[in-house]
């Protein structure tokens, strides 16, 4: 990622701005004061006291040996320059010559006592005072420059003295907070947007891609997310393709196995019309029934393979079991009738709702009824009824055949029952078998 | 009159044998090995027997197109595909579904049922015990007395629904929903009452019905 795109850069920029803020901000604060306030503009020349002292001594030196008039003239010029200052000079005889402005507290004739008093005052509480010997020589007299301390003091930067400064500082602080808040809330908003995009699922069960407008860290995260969505969509598509391919394969296998069976079946039928011995007819009948059995075995084999691989799609929903049982029995009744079965159906008058996949449950019933037709033919009896046992609704399928463990079973029943078992387990249903030599009862019930 | 069957099957051995079998049963059979260019023949066809796995267009696509263009021609799918998904998909447009291997007698019976349901077979009347039923005229005669039997609207609808599905067991739910066109509620006695009244009119001995057979716990059936 380019450095200028990074959020880090922005953050560092804000922090450095905050750090260098004060040294820049304070002069900015005084700038208008400086330009707008004439007073303060004038004040500025008094602020550098060292410079003032140097200036005063320099001027004193220049007046070496000058006449009174010349000194007066020079001092008047200086007074114009430093209008706020008090300027006077005393000659060698201790007589005050020029007072600008004229003040009474300056003695006209200086005694020793006056000099000491003046010096004491100026060092202590008095105004800022510079005394210089004219020409650097104590015999030529001295000249004095006085300004009040209020002018020489540096500008105040104490918040105690300046309410506006306090307000100004506060504003700058708030501005900094606001910019920081803007920075983080922007990141936060984009992260929340991304999070929402990740949770919301599109039509294909995968979240939609996000729009990436900036290439910073959050933008990069968005790009990675989009990449992931691409991969997910690809793998979902692959999965679907495989699903279609697998179904196609199963259909093809089934087709390829069943086609020759159909031909065998057809020709066996045609053979029946030929004149055949009794034994020949029996053989034909056997061929026909085995062809049918084989067809069912293929079905069961494919179903079992799919089921045990977990590739059989199930859609459980609230299902009216009485209706489902009745519909299944309606299609099986002619078979039972043909085989001479007594069919005893006693279904609940009340609605019986189970959460099953109707197709799967029909398949379970098909397998169970198929087994009855095939293995319990001798009993010539089938009963399907619903009962309440211990507060639960139970579907009972009963026959009077020789029982499941009679050993007389044809092969194939086991796979049929395995499919039943797998399907019931997937649909969260329980079942149990009671079998004896006088019959079999199969109970189907919802798991508690 | 011989009925015209259109049979589409790509497997030559099966096609050869079945079309011969159907011709023996008195049908006129047109056997094609693919579903292309069949629409121009459809006008005179009474029923289509359709395989699903075909080269080119598969049976599902052909069937759907045919059903759209010729909704009054019954379609019977005859396929080696036995999965319940295929059956359900097929039955969204087809009128019956028979899986291979099949018993030719069963196939013939189903063809007859379909032809009757679509009134391609229109015998002048159906004789059921002492009843002569003229479906096209909505008329039922008692052949012993030559008196007309007058049924109420619902009774007639129930009876004709059973007659159009001969030898088929119809559950209470199926009949109720076909006639009343609203979902059946478990325990509703309306249908039973109507059938009792219907039997009083058409059965010789309503307590031992011969025409409308009760399949206990499941539904009703009319044998023909």
């Amino acid at each position: 990622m380019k450095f200028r795109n990074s959020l880090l850069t922005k953050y560092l920029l804000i922090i450095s701005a905050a750090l260098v803020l004060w040294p820049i901000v304070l002069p900015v604060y005084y700038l208008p004061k400086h330009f707008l306030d004439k007073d303060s503009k004038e004040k500025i020349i008094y602020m550098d006291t060292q410079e003032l002292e140097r200036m005063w001594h320099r001027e004193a030196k220049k007046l070496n040996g000058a006449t009174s008039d010349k000194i007066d003239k020079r001092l008047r010029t200086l007074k114009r320059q430093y209008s706020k200052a008090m300027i006077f000079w005393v000659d060698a005889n201790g007589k005050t010559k020029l007072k600008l402005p004229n003040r009474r507290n300056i003695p006209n004739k200086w005694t020793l006592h006056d000099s000491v008093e003046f010096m004491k005052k100026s060092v202590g509480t008095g105004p800022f005072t510079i005394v210089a010997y004219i020409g650097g020589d104590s015999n030529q007299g001295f000249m004095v420059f006085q300004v009040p301390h209020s002018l020489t003091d540096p500008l105040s930067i104490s918040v105690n003295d300046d309410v506006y400064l306090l307000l100004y500082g506060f504003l700058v602080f708030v501005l900094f907070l606001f910019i920081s808040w803007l920075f983080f809330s922007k990141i936060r908003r984009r992260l929340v947007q991304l999070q929402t995009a990740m949770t919301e699922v599109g039509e294909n069960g995968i979240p939609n891609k996000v729009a990436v407008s900036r290439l910073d860290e959050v933008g990069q995260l968005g790009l990675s997310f989009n990449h992931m969505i691409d991969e997910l969509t690809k793998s979902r598509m692959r999965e679907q393709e495989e699903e279609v391919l697998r179904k196609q394969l199963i259909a093809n296998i089934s087709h390829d196995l069943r086609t020759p069976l159909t031909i065998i079946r057809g020709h066996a039928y045609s053979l029946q019309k030929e004149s055949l011995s009794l034994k020949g007819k029996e053989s034909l009948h056997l061929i026909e029934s085995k062809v049918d059995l084989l067809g069912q075995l293929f079905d069961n084999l494919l179903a079992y393979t799919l089921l045990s691989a977990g590739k059989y799609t199930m859609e459980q929903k609230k299902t009216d079991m009485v209706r489902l049982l009745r519909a299944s029995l309606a299609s099986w009744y002619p078979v039972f009738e043909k085989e001479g079965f007594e069919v005893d159906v006693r279904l609940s008058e009340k609605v019986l709702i189970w959460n099953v996949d109707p197709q799967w449950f029909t398949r379970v019933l098909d397998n169970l009824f198929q087994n009855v037709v095939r293995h319990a033919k001798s009993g010539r009896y089938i009963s399907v009824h619903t009962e309440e046992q211990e507060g639960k609704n139970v579907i009972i399928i009963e026959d009077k055949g020789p029982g499941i463990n009679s050993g007389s079973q044809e092969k194939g029943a086991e796979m049929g029952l395995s499919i039943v078992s797998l399907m019931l387990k997937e649909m969260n249903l329980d079942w149990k078998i009671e079998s004896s030599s006088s019959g079999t009862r199969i109970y189907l019930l919802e798991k508690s | 009159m011989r009925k015209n069957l259109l049979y589409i099957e790509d497997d030559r051995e099966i096609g050869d044998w079945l079309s011969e079998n159907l011709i023996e049963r008195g049908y006129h059979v047109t056997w094609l090995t693919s579903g292309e260019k069949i629409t121009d023949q459809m006008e005179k066809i009474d029923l289509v027997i359709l395989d699903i796995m075909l080269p080119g267009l598969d049976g599902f696509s052909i069937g759907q197109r045919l059903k759209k263009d010729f909704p009054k021609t019954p379609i019977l799918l005859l396929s080696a595909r036995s999965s319940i998904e295929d059956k359900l998909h097929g039955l969204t447009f087809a009128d019956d579904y028979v899986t291979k291997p099949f018993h030719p007698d069963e196939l013939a019976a189903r063809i007859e049922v379909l032809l009757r349901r679509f009134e391609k077979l229109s015998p002048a009347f159906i004789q059921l015990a002492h009843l002569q039923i003229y479906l096209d005229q909505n008329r039922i005669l008692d052949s012993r007395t030559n008196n007309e039997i007058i049924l109420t609207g619902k009774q007639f609808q129930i009876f004709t629904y059973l007659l159009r599905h001969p030898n088929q067991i119809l559950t209470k739910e199926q009949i109720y929903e076909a006639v009343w066109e609203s979902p059946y509620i478990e325990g509703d006695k309306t249908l039973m009452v109507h059938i009792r009244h219907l039997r009083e009119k058409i059965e010789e001995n309503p307590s031992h019905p011969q025409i409308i057979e009760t399949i206990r716990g499941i539904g009703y059936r009319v044998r023909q």
Side-chain angles (χ1 to χ4, degrees):
Chain A
M1 186 177 18
K2 278 176 191 150
F3 187 63
R4 67 187 163 86
N5 285 333
S6 174
L7 286 174
L8 190 67
T9 317
K10 277 192 192 171
Y11 179 69
L12 285 177
L13 216 68
I14 290 174
I15 291 297
S16 0
L19 285 178
V20 296
L21 203 61
W22 293 111
I24 296 169
V25 153
L26 275 181
V28 166
Y29 173 68
Y30 285 111
L31 220 57
K33 223 174 182 176
H34 176 73
F35 283 114
L36 299 175
D37 193 349
K38 224 171 178 179
D39 230 32
S40 77
K41 201 174 170 185
E42 281 182 355
K43 264 171 81 178
I44 245 155
I45 50 171
Y46 305 106
M47 246 186 275
D48 192 346
T49 48
Q50 284 183 348
E51 173 59 31
L52 276 179
E53 254 175 86
R54 270 199 299 280
M55 178 275 295
W56 199 244
H57 286 288
R58 202 166 52 237
E59 292 296 334
K61 221 167 215 163
K62 272 191 217 161
L63 294 171
N64 190 18
T67 59
S68 266
D69 285 347
K70 203 174 172 193
I71 292 172
D72 279 359
K73 201 181 163 201
R74 182 64 196 148
L75 287 188
R76 276 181 219 281
T77 322
L78 282 172
K79 172 65 184 173
R80 272 198 296 281
Q81 208 173 331
Y82 300 92
S83 59
K84 296 226 186 273
M86 159 86 189
I87 294 172
F88 65 92
W89 74 282
V90 179
D91 65 12
N93 302 323
K95 202 178 162 207
T96 305
K97 298 297 280 192
L98 179 71
K99 282 193 275 185
L100 296 170
N102 200 352
R103 287 257 181 91
R104 285 226 192 110
N105 58 353
I106 308 293
N108 287 328
K109 183 78 186 158
W110 290 68
T111 60
L112 183 65
H113 170 78
D114 286 333
S115 310
V116 171
E117 188 69 17
F118 177 78
M119 288 314 290
K120 203 177 166 190
K121 243 192 222 166
S122 58
V123 168
T125 54
F128 173 75
T129 307
I130 311 164
V131 180
Y133 290 116
I134 292 168
D137 175 10
S138 57
N139 293 326
Q140 292 186 38
F142 61 93
M143 50 195 249
V144 175
F145 183 95
Q146 269 188 323
V147 268
H149 278 296
S150 62
L151 292 176
T152 58
D153 279 347
L155 290 169
S156 166
I157 51 162
S158 161
V159 288
N160 294 332
D161 302 343
D162 196 338
V163 178
Y164 291 108
L165 182 66
L166 187 70
L167 199 69
Y168 178 74
F170 182 71
L171 278 177
V172 171
F173 181 65
V174 166
L175 184 75
F176 173 66
L177 270 188
F178 178 72
I179 291 170
S180 305
W181 176 81
L182 217 61
F183 176 71
F184 282 106
S185 81
K186 227 174 194 173
I187 295 176
R188 190 184 156 277
R189 200 174 59 231
R190 290 170 64 202
L191 285 176
V192 168
Q193 269 172 5
L194 200 62
Q195 189 251 344
T196 317
M198 284 175 180
T199 358
E200 268 174 16
V201 171
E203 58 208 36
N204 52 359
I206 296 172
N208 290 321
K209 286 193 188 182
V210 292
V212 177
S213 50
R214 264 171 292 177
L215 284 176
D216 54 17
E217 282 86 342
V218 179
Q220 297 283 334
L221 189 62
L223 284 182
S224 305
F225 174 71
N226 285 351
H227 179 69
M228 193 185 76
I229 294 295
D230 278 342
E231 289 294 312
L232 212 58
T233 314
K234 255 190 254 166
S235 92
R236 181 71 57 92
M237 264 165 61
R238 253 200 316 273
E239 209 172 276
Q240 275 167 356
E241 274 166 21
E242 273 168 19
E243 177 91 5
V244 169
L245 222 67
R246 184 183 50 73
K247 275 198 174 146
Q248 194 63 44
L249 184 72
I250 296 278
N252 286 342
I253 292 172
S254 176
H255 179 264
D256 291 352
L257 290 172
R258 281 164 174 278
T259 302
L261 276 187
T262 311
I263 297 164
I264 296 171
R265 186 80 160 85
H267 284 275
Y269 178 85
S270 302
L271 258 184
Q272 279 179 346
K273 292 181 196 155
E274 306 293 320
S275 54
L276 283 173
S277 67
L278 197 66
K279 216 178 162 198
K281 283 214 165 107
E282 270 174 22
S283 295
L284 260 186
H285 189 70
L286 197 69
I287 288 172
E288 284 192 322
S289 73
K290 291 299 169 190
V291 164
D292 287 346
L293 180 68
L294 215 49
Q296 282 154 12
L297 276 177
F298 290 159
D299 270 359
N300 277 347
L301 183 65
L302 292 175
Y304 185 78
T305 313
L306 290 179
L307 264 176
S308 51
K311 294 282 187 189
Y312 216 54
T313 41
M314 177 175 70
E315 269 176 60
Q316 270 177 297
K317 58 184 176 198
K318 302 267 176 242
T319 308
D320 181 349
M321 298 308 286
V322 174
R323 171 189 285 245
L324 195 146
L325 279 170
R326 206 174 270 144
S328 169
L329 279 164
S331 64
W332 275 91
Y333 191 86
V335 180
F336 290 130
E337 198 179 34
K338 197 173 141 227
E339 300 289 341
F341 275 70
E342 182 195 334
V343 183
D344 178 18
V345 179
R346 282 168 285 132
L347 300 179
S348 163
E349 287 285 302
K350 281 180 274 173
V351 190
L352 177 56
I353 303 284
W354 284 5
N355 189 29
V356 299
D357 180 321
Q359 290 179 26
W360 280 38
F361 201 84
T362 306
R363 173 102 205 190
V364 166
L365 291 175
D366 284 349
N367 281 9
L368 292 176
F369 292 156
Q370 185 65 258
N371 270 1
V372 171
V373 172
R374 210 172 285 148
H375 309 303
K377 217 181 271 185
S378 57
R380 305 218 176 282
Y381 174 84
I382 179 163
S383 159
V384 178
H385 57 278
T386 54
E387 245 180 55
E388 237 183 76
Q389 291 183 351
E390 295 156 20
K392 286 170 93 175
N393 288 302
V394 185
I395 297 169
I396 300 166
I397 299 167
E398 191 178 355
D399 67 56
K400 291 183 178 165
I404 279 182
N405 300 317
S406 62
S408 70
Q409 287 207 43
E410 287 179 63
K411 288 174 187 77
E414 253 167 72
M415 193 151 54
L417 289 180
S418 304
I419 289 169
V420 168
S421 177
L422 274 175
M423 284 188 149
L424 290 175
K425 197 176 147 206
E426 287 290 307
M427 290 190 286
N428 213 23
L429 297 177
D430 255 341
W431 74 312
K432 59 180 174 178
I433 303 180
E434 282 173 9
S435 189
S436 71
S437 56
S438 62
T440 303
R441 282 165 78 97
I442 294 173
Y443 299 82
L444 304 175
L445 59 153
E446 279 190 301
K447 256 185 199 157
S448 40
Chain B
M1 202 184 80
R2 277 151 70 104
K3 291 291 149 189
N4 288 306
L5 307 186
L6 176 65
Y7 177 34
I8 302 169
E9 166 72 71
D10 65 321
D11 189 286
R12 293 197 172 270
E13 283 172 291
I14 298 176
D16 211 26
W17 170 77
L18 183 62
S19 42
E20 198 178 302
N21 182 281
L22 289 172
I23 289 165
E24 275 172 32
R25 287 173 197 270
Y27 297 107
H28 185 272
V29 179
T30 314
W31 168 35
L32 300 174
T33 51
S34 85
E36 281 145 35
K37 296 180 209 156
I38 50 169
T39 31
D40 42 332
Q41 310 187 35
M42 280 300 291
E43 287 304 324
K44 55 179 178 32
I45 296 297
D46 298 301
L47 183 139
V48 180
I49 302 169
L50 189 58
D51 189 13
I52 292 175
M53 306 263 247
L54 292 169
L57 271 181
D58 70 4
F60 288 134
S61 322
I62 298 169
Q64 270 160 342
R65 214 176 53 199
L66 284 182
K67 201 67 195 175
K68 205 174 104 246
D69 297 342
F70 307 93
K72 285 190 177 147
T73 307
I75 296 174
L76 187 150
L77 287 174
L78 179 63
S79 171
R81 291 170 71 148
S82 56
S83 79
I84 198 110
E85 288 100 335
D86 285 333
K87 282 184 192 167
L88 288 175
H89 182 201
L91 287 173
T92 55
F93 61 90
D95 303 286
D96 207 347
Y97 195 111
V98 177
T99 51
K100 294 173 183 170
F102 56 94
H103 197 292
D105 289 345
E106 189 195 345
L107 181 70
R110 284 175 187 263
I111 290 172
E112 285 297 298
V113 168
L114 280 183
L115 287 174
R116 189 166 313 144
R117 184 157 13 125
F118 282 79
E119 289 167 359
K120 299 284 180 182
L121 279 182
S122 43
F125 58 86
I126 302 167
Q127 182 84 41
L128 262 184
H130 58 279
L131 300 179
Q132 280 180 0
I133 303 147
Y134 299 86
L135 273 178
D136 47 345
Q137 301 167 29
N138 293 353
R139 211 155 62 94
I140 300 168
L141 278 187
D142 186 334
S143 58
R144 294 166 306 182
T145 60
N146 253 7
N147 283 344
E148 191 169 336
I149 297 170
I150 308 293
L151 298 180
T152 65
K154 285 278 180 277
Q155 286 166 358
F156 189 80
Q157 274 177 283
I158 295 168
F159 195 33
T160 47
Y161 185 66
L162 284 162
L163 285 172
R164 285 193 202 286
H165 297 87
N167 304 320
Q168 229 176 312
I169 296 167
L170 300 171
T171 64
K172 287 188 252 182
E173 290 93 346
Q174 274 178 301
I175 301 171
Y176 187 90
E177 283 163 13
V179 172
W180 273 268
E181 289 175 355
S182 63
Y184 175 78
I185 294 154
E186 202 58 52
D188 190 347
K189 301 278 184 233
T190 319
L191 178 67
M192 276 176 67
V193 172
H194 274 83
I195 287 188
R196 202 173 67 225
H197 291 312
L198 174 62
R199 277 174 170 160
E200 279 165 11
K201 289 181 182 169
I202 60 170
E203 296 282 359
E204 205 164 2
N205 179 0
S207 48
H208 287 97
Q210 299 297 312
I211 295 168
I212 299 178
E213 193 186 347
T214 299
I215 311 294
R216 256 201 51 171
I218 305 175
Y220 301 94
R221 174 169 66 179
V222 171
R223 284 190 203 252
Q224 283 182 37

